[in-house]
């Protein structure tokens, strides 16, 4: 089975859950009631959307637009979130070892101006925080810790880019450049780069996505031989050493955030399969070709159990009934993982798959995502849903987002605190 993540668009669906909640006003009322306390007050839940800037997926629509047009497009996404009665926007502010704010550590993002390092003439992150709060929205700053570029030519990076000053930090893999997570100086640098934004701006959250060590690439291995020889001596194998490196990043980030910005929440949105049950009895009843523990060296379940993070938002980007990774099996598995830990569970939703011709029948049913929300509300540990991504929230393919709002988001609510 191929890789399943928010960037994969070709996996077919396998059908819907027999006995799913029916359509109609009565069913909608029942689903809405699941989000209300016994006293009638609405329960807090996170209703979020990701705004991806890498490769201009969501925003800006293309690089090189005038600052006023970029700003107008950003505000339109925030207004769309309000219109859909969402309460949280997760904005990608460090997509490829660059910045959407004036950073002393890394260059301005090329996705703003078309030229990495060129000042766009305004402060996107500062504007986003101010305008989100003005609309009653939370703004979480989304960082990719280790990705440097979506190509393998260091000469295309801005002059003075840290990856050019420190070529020994960089590994080419799968047609991209990455910082090497096995180097302590890299971990220190990426934390400094990210925390400059978190400590400067009044963000509500600090958010990592699913990239730690890169996803496997056919016929390639991640070339960290020198780092492993230098630092891996005390570990039983390279995999254990790599997991330790990512554990350090996550644990140290959480500790520093609690020291410096205790009101800011730390969340991770991983690929949704920690391990398959046939690999580990504690794993999920799935048959995924990628497992975060083994392939990305990300012990996502362990981070929850050790309470290193405040929330986890697994990308459960499959339909109810999908044989290899069934949404209806993964939600209760994650609910069990977070139970009793104090870590919140928010479920990542594949809105981008709706009406995609490459997807199976379930993703052409406008009620599929509404059923997802209804299923989550049957699990008290599931505290909300996040939609990938903003342009699809606005486009509302086959009315699927409208259906979610009509069935479940009749009233605005606060996110969990």
């Amino acid at each position: 089975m191929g890789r399943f993540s928010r960037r994969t668009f070709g996996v077919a669906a396998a059908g819907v859950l027999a006995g799913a909640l029916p359509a109609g006003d009565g069913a909608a009322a029942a689903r809405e009631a699941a989000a209300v306390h016994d006293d009638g007050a609405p329960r807090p839940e996170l209703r979020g959307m990701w705004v991806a800037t890498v490769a201009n997926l969501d925003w800006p629509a293309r690089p090189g637009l005038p600052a006023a047009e970029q700003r107008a497009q950003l505000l339109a996404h925030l207004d769309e979130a309000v219109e859909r009665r969402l309460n949280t926007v997760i904005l990608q502010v460090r997509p490829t070892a660059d910045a959407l704010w004036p950073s002393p550590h890394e260059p301005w993002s090329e996705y703003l101006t078309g030229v990495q390092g060129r000042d766009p003439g305004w402060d996107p992150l500062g504007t986003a925080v101010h305008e989100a709060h003005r609309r009653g929205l939370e703004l979480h700053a989304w960082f990719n810790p280790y990705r440097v570029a979506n190509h393998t030519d260091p000469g295309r990076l801005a002059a003075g880019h840290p990856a050019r000053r420190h070529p020994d930090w960089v590994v080419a893999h799968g047609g991209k450049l990455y910082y090497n997570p096995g180097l302590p100086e890299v971990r220190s640098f990426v934390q400094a780069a990210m925390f400059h934004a978190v400590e400067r701006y009044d963000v509500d959250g600090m958010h990592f996505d699913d990239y730690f060590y890169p996803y496997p690439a056919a016929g390639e291995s991640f070339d960290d031989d020198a780092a492993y020889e230098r630092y891996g001596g005390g570990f039983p194998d390279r995999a254990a050493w790599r997991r330790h490196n990512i554990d350090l990043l996550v644990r140290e980030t959480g500790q520093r955030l609690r020291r410096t910005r205790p009101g800011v929440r730390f969340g991770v949105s991983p690929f949704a399969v920690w391990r398959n049950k046939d690999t580990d009895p504690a794993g999920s009843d799935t048959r995924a070709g990628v497992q975060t523990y083994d392939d990305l060296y990300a012990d996502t379940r362990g981070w929850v159990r050790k309470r290193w993070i405040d929330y986890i938002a697994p990308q459960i980007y499959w339909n109810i009934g999908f044989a290899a990774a069934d949404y209806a099996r993964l939600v209760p598995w994650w609910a069990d993982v977070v139970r009793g830990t104090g870590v919140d569970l928010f479920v990542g939703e594949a809105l981008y798959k709706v009406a995609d011709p490459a997807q199976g029948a379930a993703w052409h049913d406008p009620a599929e995502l509404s059923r997802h929300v209804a299923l989550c509300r049957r699990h008290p540990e599931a505290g909300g849903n996040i939609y990938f991504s903003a342009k699809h929230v606005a486009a509302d393919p086959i009315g699927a987002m409208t259906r979610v709002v009509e069935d479940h988001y009749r009233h605005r609510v606060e996110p969990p605190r």
Side-chain angles (χ1 to χ4, degrees):
M1 189 175 72
R3 172 186 156 200
F4 297 101
S5 85
R6 63 162 61 108
R7 286 112 185 140
T8 299
F9 300 88
V11 181
V16 297
L17 179 68
L21 287 172
D25 290 342
R31 288 190 287 265
E32 182 69 16
V36 177
H37 287 292
D38 292 340
D39 63 3
R43 290 177 180 167
E45 67 175 353
L46 189 134
R47 302 172 182 176
M49 70 179 187
W50 281 285
V51 180
T53 60
V54 65
N56 299 100
L57 287 179
D58 289 317
W59 174 82
R62 59 180 174 83
L65 295 173
E69 191 170 349
Q70 291 181 11
R71 186 179 188 278
Q73 290 179 2
L74 177 61
L75 300 190
H77 283 306
L78 300 181
D79 289 339
E80 185 69 30
V82 173
E83 178 69 20
R84 298 290 181 179
R85 302 191 191 101
L86 307 182
N87 54 32
T88 302
V89 170
I90 302 173
L91 175 65
Q92 191 175 33
V93 299
R94 186 180 180 267
T96 52
D98 51 11
L100 273 78
W101 76 96
S103 168
H105 301 284
E106 293 176 310
W108 281 105
S109 176
E110 67 178 298
Y111 304 123
L112 295 170
T113 65
V115 178
Q116 190 176 64
R118 179 177 292 173
D119 190 333
W122 69 300
D123 181 353
L125 176 54
T127 300
V129 171
H130 174 77
E131 293 292 341
H133 290 171
R134 197 164 70 84
R135 289 163 172 78
L137 298 167
E138 286 199 355
L139 195 290
H140 293 215
W142 165 15
F143 304 90
N144 186 286
Y146 292 118
R147 184 172 56 207
V148 173
N150 286 326
H151 56 76
T152 58
D153 181 5
R156 291 171 56 184
L157 301 174
H161 192 292
R164 295 183 69 170
R165 298 198 311 269
H166 303 279
D168 54 312
W169 289 5
V170 180
V171 178
H173 180 82
K176 301 180 181 181
L177 296 176
Y178 296 91
Y179 283 131
N180 186 348
L183 298 176
E185 57 269 35
V186 163
R187 188 173 71 253
S188 176
F189 170 77
V190 299
Q191 288 183 21
M194 295 184 294
F195 270 95
H196 180 262
V198 174
E199 294 170 358
R200 175 173 177 170
Y201 297 96
D202 188 23
V203 297
D204 301 287
M206 183 175 187
H207 186 92
F208 290 173
D209 57 14
D210 53 322
Y211 286 96
F212 295 97
Y213 278 87
Y215 280 84
E220 293 189 45
S221 59
F222 189 79
D223 184 9
D224 56 1
D225 290 353
Y228 180 52
E229 183 176 352
R230 183 173 182 184
Y231 297 110
F235 296 87
D237 53 36
R238 191 179 306 224
W241 171 71
R242 286 177 173 175
R243 275 190 293 274
H244 172 73
N245 296 330
I246 304 301
D247 278 354
L248 286 176
L249 173 75
V250 173
R251 187 181 68 197
E252 290 173 1
T253 298
Q255 291 172 340
R256 177 169 173 174
L257 190 62
R258 291 181 181 103
R259 286 196 313 270
T260 62
R261 292 294 307 280
V264 175
R265 309 192 75 203
F266 179 33
V268 178
S269 174
F271 179 81
V273 176
W274 170 72
R275 301 188 97 186
N276 297 318
K277 188 166 66 174
D278 63 359
T279 303
D280 187 320
S284 52
D285 186 10
T286 50
R287 297 187 302 281
V290 170
Q291 303 168 87
T292 65
Y293 185 91
D294 302 276
D295 297 302
L296 308 184
Y297 308 97
D299 185 9
T300 53
R301 178 179 179 269
W303 304 339
V304 172
R305 308 298 280 188
K306 296 169 184 173
R307 307 182 187 191
W308 290 350
I309 59 180
D310 297 308
Y311 69 84
I312 195 155
Q315 299 170 28
I316 310 184
Y317 286 176
W318 308 292
N319 58 277
I320 295 171
F322 183 63
D326 187 344
Y327 186 97
R329 295 180 183 272
L330 278 161
V331 168
W333 185 86
W334 279 105
D336 182 66
V337 169
V338 304
R339 188 175 297 120
T341 65
V343 176
D344 282 326
L345 169 63
F346 309 129
V347 177
E349 300 290 345
L351 178 59
Y352 72 89
K353 285 187 174 180
V354 173
D356 183 341
Q359 302 299 326
W363 294 107
H364 297 267
D365 181 349
E368 175 68 19
L369 286 184
S370 180
R371 284 192 284 266
H372 288 196
V373 178
L375 189 154
C376 287
R377 286 183 175 175
R378 295 175 210 157
H379 297 275
E381 297 82 9
N385 305 78
I386 310 174
Y387 301 90
F388 191 84
S389 61
K391 70 180 180 184
H392 302 285
V393 170
D396 191 24
I398 62 174
M401 195 68 210
T402 292
R403 179 66 176 267
V404 167
V405 174
E406 290 178 348
D407 285 355
H408 304 291
Y409 299 164
R410 294 185 178 184
H411 309 282
R412 291 196 74 182
V413 299
E414 294 292 320
R417 304 293 182 185

